[in-house]
């Protein structure tokens, strides 16, 4: 089971990702609405996984990833973004993100992304199905 | 570089957005689109619907994009986003705003590239527009609109840009 920090300025996305995380058998450690809050929450909550929106007010997701990497090399970060933002996806991955989910977010996409990152680890969850794990 | 007419602008700027809007509604939201009608003109005024979200682009082309929804369509979109869950009464307004913003963010982020060089345009976080009823065109600006008709009402897409943003390479046809 993973402790997950959800970062998105959209209430509906935070609500849905929270639901998916829980359904997939993980724990929501906390939520943040912009990059600055994400950095603070990451220091405080020490999550194992972060879902991070890219386009947010005050501080965007890429800047937040760079800052988080300065003090936490281990947390896995999945960016949540749109098809058209390929350059930002590349920047995010260079900054230290481990993967990305294209909007609209779904439980299946999140499960697949988590499974890809943790493919060699036993997460002790009961909802990530074998087919996704094999992808 | 050859100049481009309003018809080409329709195809190269608004059409990808319209195409993505239709696929978003039909495939992601399971909402039937009954017809769509792109009208590329330079109207002096565009009537906004009550529910409107706006997003800006940055980079080589700077435009403002608005998406307006009929009430019934937005209610349906909220219902789909909630995936069958009941929204708490004290959160429903914020959820409605959140859905409205998220859709413009998703569609524009998915659709927008510079038609001249294919590069991606950066986007601002969405902004909600309250109380505004109309957009008025300044003489140096350009407005392009597209209307998507669905089984739950209409969605109005508007692109607003200063003519100078395009003038070097795109020749807008004065109508």
């Amino acid at each position: 089971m993973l402790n997950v920090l959800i970062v998105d300025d959209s209430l509906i996305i935070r609500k849905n990702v929270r639901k998916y995380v829980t359904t997939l058998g993980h724990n929501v450690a906390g939520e943040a609405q912009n990059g600055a809050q994400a950095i603070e929450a990451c220091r405080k909550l020490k999550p194992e996984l972060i879902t991070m929106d890219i386009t947010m007010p005050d501080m965007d997701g890429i800047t937040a990833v760079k800052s988080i990497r300065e003090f936490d090399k281990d947390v896995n970060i999945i960016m949540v973004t749109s098809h058209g933002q390929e350059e930002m996806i590349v920047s995010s991955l260079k900054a230290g993100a481990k993967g990305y989910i294209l909007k609209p977010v779904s439980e299946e996409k999140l499960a697949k992304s988590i499974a890809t990152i943790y493919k060699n680890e036993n997460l002790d969850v009961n909802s990530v199905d074998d087919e996704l794990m094999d992808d | 570089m050859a100049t481009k007419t309003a018809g080409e602008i329709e195809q190269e700027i608004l059409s990808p957005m319209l195409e993505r809007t239709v696929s978003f509604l039909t495939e992601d939201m399971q909402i039937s689109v009954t017809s769509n009608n792109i009208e590329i003109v330079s109207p002096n005024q565009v009537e906004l619907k009550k529910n409107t979200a706006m997003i800006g682009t940055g980079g080589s082309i700077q435009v403002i994009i608005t998406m307006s929804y009929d009430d019934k369509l937005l209610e349906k979109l909220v219902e789909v986003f909630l995936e069958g869950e009941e929204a708490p009464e004290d959160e429903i307004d914020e959820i409605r705003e959140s859905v409205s913003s998220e859709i413009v963010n998703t569609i524009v982020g998915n659709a927008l590239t510079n038609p001249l060089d294919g590069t991606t345009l950066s986007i601002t976080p969405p902004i909600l527009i309250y109380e505004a009823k109309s957009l008025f065109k300044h003489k140096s600006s350009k407005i392009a609109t597209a209307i998507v008709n669905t089984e739950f009402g209409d969605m109005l897409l508007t692109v607003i840009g200063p003519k100078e943003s395009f003038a070097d390479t795109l020749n807008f046809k004065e109508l």
Side-chain angles (χ1 to χ4, degrees):
Chain A
M1 185 172 75
L2 299 168
N3 283 312
V4 183
L5 172 65
I6 300 165
V7 185
D8 205 301
D9 59 325
S10 167
L11 172 63
I12 191 70
I13 298 301
R14 293 198 306 276
K15 281 176 80 75
N16 283 351
V17 173
R18 170 178 281 274
K19 183 170 62 183
Y20 305 149
V21 166
T22 306
T23 304
L24 292 170
H26 304 296
N27 176 57
V28 177
E31 295 181 6
Q33 298 182 34
N34 59 50
Q37 286 182 11
I39 294 166
E40 189 181 336
C42 189
R43 286 185 192 279
K44 187 177 170 187
L45 302 171
K46 303 191 187 316
E48 293 156 297
L49 179 70
I50 301 175
T51 65
M52 178 84 76
D53 187 19
I54 290 185
T55 307
M56 293 183 288
D58 300 329
M59 183 190 286
D60 65 69
I62 298 171
T63 307
V65 171
K66 287 177 185 168
S67 296
I68 287 169
R69 278 289 170 253
E70 288 174 6
F71 65 87
D72 190 332
K73 307 287 185 201
D74 297 325
V75 61
N76 287 312
I77 304 173
I78 297 172
M79 308 306 289
V80 177
T81 187
S82 305
H83 273 295
Q85 297 176 297
E86 281 88 356
E87 289 167 25
M88 292 187 184
I89 293 170
V90 171
S91 297
S92 303
L93 296 174
K94 284 181 180 172
K98 285 288 181 67
Y100 62 92
I101 297 173
L102 295 176
K103 293 181 177 181
V105 187
S106 67
E107 183 183 318
E108 185 183 0
K109 288 179 185 175
L110 181 62
K112 194 170 181 175
S113 190
I114 291 173
T116 302
I117 290 173
Y118 292 93
K119 60 188 171 190
N120 295 322
E121 298 178 34
N122 181 2
L123 292 177
D124 190 25
V125 296
N126 53 16
S127 301
V128 181
D129 67 41
D130 293 339
E131 187 181 339
L132 289 173
M133 294 293 284
D134 290 340
D135 281 345
Chain B
M1 187 181 294
T3 57
K4 294 175 187 289
T5 65
E8 288 168 312
I9 297 298
E10 169 188 315
Q11 195 167 8
E12 296 186 16
I13 294 183
L14 205 49
S15 285
M17 218 169 76
L18 180 72
E19 191 178 316
R20 178 57 191 137
T21 300
V22 171
S23 72
F24 176 81
L25 290 170
T26 56
E27 294 167 21
D28 297 325
M29 298 288 106
Q30 304 293 309
I31 292 172
S32 296
V33 170
T34 51
S35 69
N36 58 69
N37 170 36
I38 301 181
E39 189 183 5
I40 300 285
V41 290
S42 182
N44 289 325
Q45 183 178 343
V46 174
E47 298 297 327
L48 295 174
K49 298 178 186 297
K50 191 178 86 181
N51 314 293
T52 299
M54 180 177 88
I55 209 164
T57 69
S60 50
I61 290 185
Q62 293 163 6
V63 295
I64 294 168
I65 293 160
T66 68
M67 288 193 182
S68 273
Y69 316 85
D70 279 339
D71 282 347
K72 195 176 169 190
L73 176 58
L74 183 57
E75 291 311 315
K76 180 62 183 175
L77 290 163
V78 168
E79 182 188 317
V80 175
F81 265 84
L82 284 170
E83 300 176 338
E85 285 193 5
E86 199 75 27
E89 202 167 313
D90 60 343
E91 276 189 354
I92 188 63
D93 286 343
E94 193 180 348
I95 288 173
R96 198 179 286 119
E97 294 166 2
S98 171
V99 168
S100 177
S101 298
E102 192 54 32
I103 291 170
V104 68
N105 192 22
T106 300
I107 290 174
V108 173
N110 277 331
L112 267 197
T113 55
N114 183 334
L116 302 174
D117 59 17
T119 56
T120 305
L121 298 178
S122 60
I123 54 174
T124 65
I127 296 164
L128 292 168
I129 302 176
Y130 293 104
E131 307 294 336
K133 292 178 180 171
S134 309
L135 295 169
F136 289 94
K137 172 188 166 306
H138 184 270
K139 62 181 179 183
S140 63
S141 64
K142 277 289 173 184
I143 299 177
T145 62
I147 298 170
V148 179
N149 309 120
T150 79
E151 57 184 320
F152 297 101
D154 295 345
M155 190 167 167
L156 170 70
L157 284 67
T158 306
V159 179
I160 308 136
K163 192 159 60 174
E164 290 74 15
S165 292
F166 311 100
D168 289 346
T169 40
L170 305 182
N171 180 23
F172 268 92
K173 184 179 175 183
E174 295 289 352
L175 299 174

